[in-house]
Amino acid sequence: MEEKVTRILVVDDEEDLCEILKFNLETEGYEVDVANSGEEALDMDIANCHLILLDVMMGGMSGFAVARELRENSATKHVPIIFLTAKGTENDKITGFNIGADDYISKPFSIREVILRIRAVLRRMESKPIAEEVSHHTLTYKGLVVDTDRKTVRVNGEDIELTKTEYGILCTLLEHRGRVFSRHDLIRRIWPMDVIVSDRTVDVNITRVRKKLGPYADNLATRLGFGYYFDE
């Protein structure tokens, strides 16, 4: 029988540190992938990782933001996360654990300590009973509720009608709160590949969604020069 290999993803913008961790973890028998930014990590097959070592302070997307996305995604929410970071204050650690971290290691650290912490987290995961998966199939923000099974949207208890395109825009922004999507990002995600869409078309649809969201219109915010995002 083929031996199961434990796959670890190291996410840190310090390339030298990544190489040191990769070498030592592979020596311990782990399979190691490396990403040098949060954005790069989110484009990888994280659902098939057994554990993530995640830096907090990176250029671009922070480790905390990456962890929030992973915890909000049903495919990755159970993947253990260990933060490796120079942000070692009590408040930083509280933030990390509140997001869903399984451990928090402050820099500087020894490789031996990291390996021991990894083993401890993996042992805890193996000993957890397998719980029945309950899927909620909704995206919510206060009184804004999107039922992704029925494809319906309610604002403070009232149903609102969205076109398929408007619904796609709202779901994308609501599911990835705080993440800025350029017009090109939205076009690529929502419109068919064989349809030519202008930036103006995206703007018009955003305006329509805002009008229909009523009290939550301002949550569909604009980052000038970059794109749109859902602002909490």
Side-chain angles (χ1 to χ4, degrees):
M1 181 181 296
E2 184 178 354
E3 185 178 353
K4 180 181 177 181
V5 177
T6 300
R7 182 180 170 206
I8 295 175
L9 174 61
V10 178
V11 186
D12 198 305
D13 58 0
E14 295 183 49
E15 295 185 15
D16 290 345
L17 177 58
C18 287
E19 288 305 312
I20 292 171
L21 287 168
K22 179 179 174 66
F23 173 79
N24 283 276
L25 293 175
E26 287 180 341
T27 300
E28 291 292 316
Y30 298 113
E31 181 179 305
V32 182
D33 295 320
V34 170
N36 295 127
S37 71
E39 290 85 353
E40 181 184 352
L42 291 175
D43 284 336
M44 300 174 74
D45 185 18
I46 293 179
N48 286 320
C49 291
H50 296 91
L51 184 140
I52 304 169
L53 295 178
L54 181 58
D55 187 23
V56 173
M57 298 174 65
M58 295 183 288
M61 200 171 190
S62 74
F64 287 158
V66 172
R68 288 189 182 97
E69 288 219 14
L70 297 179
R71 290 298 180 247
E72 291 172 0
N73 186 328
S74 59
T76 58
K77 65 181 181 181
H78 296 306
V79 179
I81 297 173
I82 298 178
F83 281 120
L84 298 177
T85 177
K87 291 175 69 65
T89 68
E90 182 178 6
N91 285 338
D92 293 326
K93 292 180 181 179
I94 290 172
T95 299
F97 284 118
N98 282 340
I99 292 171
D102 295 87
D103 204 347
Y104 197 109
I105 305 175
S106 299
K107 295 179 180 178
F109 50 76
S110 71
I111 296 298
R112 178 170 174 77
E113 178 188 8
V114 173
I115 291 171
L116 291 174
R117 298 281 195 100
I118 288 173
R119 289 175 181 169
V121 169
L122 292 174
R123 280 198 302 270
R124 289 203 302 269
M125 297 303 296
E126 289 174 357
S127 65
K128 279 186 177 181
I130 300 176
E132 181 181 354
E133 183 69 19
V134 178
S135 182
H136 297 289
H137 303 295
T138 59
L139 299 170
T140 62
Y141 174 75
K142 298 182 180 179
L144 173 60
V145 180
V146 177
D147 187 321
T148 57
D149 283 340
R150 296 172 57 209
K151 303 295 187 279
T152 59
V153 181
R154 295 173 67 85
V155 172
N156 295 336
E158 297 290 332
D159 288 324
I160 64 171
E161 295 294 329
L162 298 181
T163 67
K164 183 178 180 179
T165 298
E166 293 165 357
Y167 175 85
I169 290 173
L170 177 60
C171 283
T172 298
L173 299 181
L174 184 58
E175 184 175 3
H176 303 278
R177 301 176 196 177
R179 178 176 173 180
V180 178
F181 288 85
S182 68
R183 293 175 178 86
H184 175 73
D185 291 335
L186 293 173
I187 291 171
R188 180 170 52 84
R189 282 172 172 260
I190 296 164
W191 276 268
M193 292 183 64
D194 58 347
V195 175
I196 299 176
V197 181
S198 68
D199 289 353
R200 177 60 180 161
T201 301
V202 178
D203 296 339
V204 168
N205 277 274
I206 288 284
T207 299
R208 289 174 179 166
V209 177
R210 283 173 174 157
K211 288 180 179 178
K212 295 178 180 181
L213 289 184
Y216 301 104
D218 291 342
N219 292 101
L220 263 64
T222 303
R223 185 79 71 199
L224 291 177
F226 294 97
Y228 298 101
Y229 66 102
F230 192 93
D231 186 11
E232 299 185 83

